[in-house]
Amino acid sequence: MQYPEPIAKLIESYMKLPGIGNKSATRMAFYTLDMDEKDVNDFAKALVSAKKDLHYCSVCGNITESDPCMICADKGRDQSKIIVVEQPRDVMSLEKMREYRGLYHVLHGVLSPLEGKGPDDLNIASLLRRLQTNEAVEEVILATNATPEGEATATYLSRLIKPAGIKMTRLAHGLAVGSDIEYADEMTLLKAIEGRTEL
Amino acid sequence: MQYPEPIAKLIESYMKLPGIGNKSATRMAFYTLDMDEKDVNDFAKALVSAKKDLHYCSVCGNITESDPCMICADKGRDQSKIIVVEQPRDVMSLEKMREYRGLYHVLHGVLSPLEGKGPDDLNIASLLRRLQTNEAVEEVILATNATPEGEATATYLSRLIKPAGIKMTRLAHGLAVGSDIEYADEMTLLKAIEGRTEL
C-alpha cells in the first residue's frame, strides 16, 4: 500500500528542503495533518508570497519587497562604506548589531571551482558598476565567510578593486567572544595571534 | 532591520514543524526563495490538499481520501484479524512487508497520564463497537510501540477486550534482524531470552 496521494506529494515537497530526508519529511507531513487548518493555510500563503513578493534589490542584491531596498534607499546611511557578503541572511546578521550604518552588497555565493561557480555567476559586475558610478564609496569591507572559498573570493575582489584606489578591508579573524581557548581550532588561534592588538 | 514580512511569516510557519528551530527555519525560508517557482507552488498546494482532502476513516481511523479507507473497503482482506496501532504511519510500515492481509485500527496516540491522555482521548470506543458488530473478528494483534506508554495501552486494551472471548496477541519483542547483541540494550536482551524459540 502506498501513501494516499495528497500525503505522498507533501512528503515529496518537504524532502526538497535542505537537510530533510525521507523520515523527517514523513514525520512533518503527518504532523501537518494534525495542525490547525488556519496554520496550514497560512503556511501555504507564506510560501507563495515569499516567492512572489520578494525580489533582489537591483542595487545591492539583497532580498526586498521594494526596489531599491530599504537600506539602499536610505540616504541617511553612510554612503562611503560597502560591506560585501555572500548571502542576504548575512546582511540580517550584520544589521542585528545595530552599529554599522553603511551599505551592503550581496554576492549570492562564493567562487567555487568545484561547483563550477566563477566570477560571472556572482553579483560582482553590479558591484564594480556601483563603485564606478558612485564616487562617495571610500571603503569596501569584505565579509565573506572564513572558509577557503570565502577567503579566495575576498582575495579575488581585493585584487580586482584595489587598483581603483578604494580602501579594501576584511573582517577580523580570531576568537569568538565568550569562547574557550581550549576548544579553539589551530587556524583560529593562529589568526588570533597574528591579529593580536596592543593594550 | 527586521526580515521583510513575507520571509518573516515563512520562518514563523517553518518553526511550527516538529524539530525545526529558529535557525533551521531561517535556512529553509531563504532556501525557499531560491527554489523553482513551480516547486514552491506545488508545495503550497500539497499543504492545502493534504489538510483538505485527507480524513480519518470512520471505521479504522487510518488517514484516507475515501471513506471507508481502501483497506476497510477491501472485502478480499482477512476480516478475522485486526492489528491495533498508534499512528497512521504505523499502518504504512506494516503494509510495506506485504505479508499481512488483515485489517487495522488506529488509536491516534497512547494512554499517557503525564500528557493527560486517557481512554476517551483515543480511538478506542470505535474499536469496541467494531468488535461488537463484526462477528468475524477472531484475533486482535496489539502493535503499539515498545515504550512504557505503548505497553500500558496494550495491557489496558487486552484487559478490556479479552473477556469478550477474542484472542489478544502482542507483537514479539527481541533483537532486530541484522542487529548486534553487543549493542542491544538490557531490556531488549531480556525480552529476546524470554521469548526464545525452540529449533
Side-chain angles (χ1 to χ4, degrees):
Chain A
M1 186 200 163
Q2 303 257 309
Y3 289 110
E5 193 176 314
I7 200 145
K9 278 195 174 165
L10 186 55
I11 292 171
E12 211 177 280
S13 283
Y14 275 130
M15 276 180 68
K16 294 209 171 107
L17 295 174
I20 303 299
N22 198 327
K23 285 206 173 176
S24 301
T26 306
R27 193 159 60 108
M28 286 176 176
F30 278 100
Y31 185 88
T32 308
L33 297 182
D34 291 333
M35 278 168 70
D36 278 355
E37 184 151 4
K38 189 187 164 297
D39 283 347
V40 175
N41 289 339
D42 285 351
F43 189 1
K45 269 186 225 149
L47 278 169
V48 174
S49 153
K51 192 69 195 169
K52 206 184 58 181
D53 300 337
L54 291 176
H55 312 276
Y56 294 131
C57 170
S58 59
V59 180
C60 72
N62 192 12
I63 51 157
T64 174
E65 284 184 276
S66 54
D67 189 22
C69 71
M70 288 192 314
I71 297 176
C72 289
D74 183 352
K75 292 300 164 204
R77 294 187 74 117
D78 183 351
Q79 307 286 317
S80 71
K81 290 186 183 62
I82 295 180
I83 291 190
V84 176
V85 295
E86 293 181 19
Q87 302 293 350
R89 52 181 177 268
D90 299 330
V91 174
M92 312 291 172
S93 298
L94 288 161
E95 281 293 285
K96 271 188 201 146
M97 65 179 168
R98 298 165 181 280
E99 185 68 36
Y100 175 74
R101 292 287 299 155
L103 306 173
Y104 293 93
H105 197 85
V106 183
L107 295 177
H108 292 287
V110 273
L111 296 177
S112 170
L114 278 177
E115 291 174 27
K117 270 206 161 186
D120 294 342
D121 301 311
L122 303 179
N123 199 16
I124 290 178
S126 71
L127 174 61
L128 300 181
R129 244 193 338 267
R130 231 176 135 183
L131 296 174
Q132 277 159 6
T133 54
N134 187 348
E135 302 238 318
V137 184
E138 291 165 12
E139 182 178 357
V140 171
I141 302 164
L142 298 166
T144 48
N145 290 331
T147 55
E149 290 83 2
E151 296 291 346
T153 309
T155 308
Y156 174 85
L157 287 175
S158 170
R159 286 193 191 150
L160 198 68
I161 300 170
K162 215 172 174 182
I166 294 168
K167 188 175 168 190
M168 302 293 294
T169 55
R170 178 97 178 94
L171 289 195
H173 290 121
L175 295 164
V177 175
S179 69
D180 284 343
I181 289 180
E182 183 180 355
Y183 301 118
D185 64 291
E186 296 86 346
M187 282 308 294
T188 302
L189 281 175
L190 184 64
K191 293 279 185 185
I193 290 180
E194 279 176 3
R196 66 191 182 277
T197 52
E198 211 175 310
L199 299 176
Chain B
M1 187 200 162
Q2 303 258 307
Y3 289 110
E5 194 178 313
I7 200 147
K9 278 195 174 165
L10 186 55
I11 292 171
E12 211 177 278
S13 281
Y14 275 130
M15 277 179 68
K16 293 207 173 109
L17 295 174
I20 302 299
N22 198 327
K23 285 207 173 177
S24 301
T26 307
R27 193 160 58 108
M28 286 175 176
F30 278 100
Y31 185 87
T32 308
L33 298 182
D34 291 331
M35 277 167 71
D36 279 355
E37 184 150 5
K38 188 185 165 299
D39 283 348
V40 175
N41 289 340
D42 284 352
F43 189 0
K45 268 185 227 152
L47 279 168
V48 175
S49 153
K51 191 70 196 168
K52 207 185 56 181
D53 299 337
L54 290 176
H55 312 277
Y56 294 130
C57 170
S58 59
V59 179
C60 71
N62 192 13
I63 52 158
T64 174
E65 284 183 275
S66 54
D67 190 22
C69 72
M70 289 193 313
I71 297 176
C72 290
D74 183 352
K75 292 300 165 206
R77 294 188 73 118
D78 182 353
Q79 307 285 317
S80 71
K81 292 187 181 61
I82 296 182
I83 291 190
V84 176
V85 296
E86 294 182 17
Q87 302 293 349
R89 52 181 177 270
D90 300 330
V91 175
M92 311 292 171
S93 298
L94 289 162
E95 280 294 285
K96 271 188 202 147
M97 65 178 167
R98 298 164 180 280
E99 184 68 34
Y100 176 74
R101 293 288 300 158
L103 306 173
Y104 293 93
H105 197 85
V106 183
L107 295 176
H108 292 285
V110 273
L111 296 176
S112 169
L114 279 176
E115 291 173 27
K117 271 208 160 184
D120 294 342
D121 301 311
L122 303 181
N123 200 18
I124 291 178
S126 71
L127 174 62
L128 300 181
R129 242 191 341 266
R130 232 177 134 182
L131 296 175
Q132 277 159 5
T133 54
N134 187 350
E135 303 239 318
V137 182
E138 291 165 9
E139 180 177 359
V140 171
I141 304 165
L142 297 166
T144 49
N145 290 331
T147 57
E149 289 85 1
E151 296 292 346
T153 309
T155 308
Y156 174 85
L157 287 175
S158 170
R159 288 193 190 150
L160 199 68
I161 300 169
K162 215 172 174 180
I166 293 169
K167 187 176 169 191
M168 301 294 293
T169 54
R170 177 100 177 95
L171 287 195
H173 291 120
L175 294 164
V177 175
S179 69
D180 283 344
I181 290 180
E182 182 180 356
Y183 301 120
D185 64 292
E186 296 85 344
M187 283 309 293
T188 302
L189 280 175
L190 185 64
K191 294 279 185 185
I193 289 179
E194 279 176 4
R196 67 191 181 279
T197 52
E198 212 175 310
L199 299 176

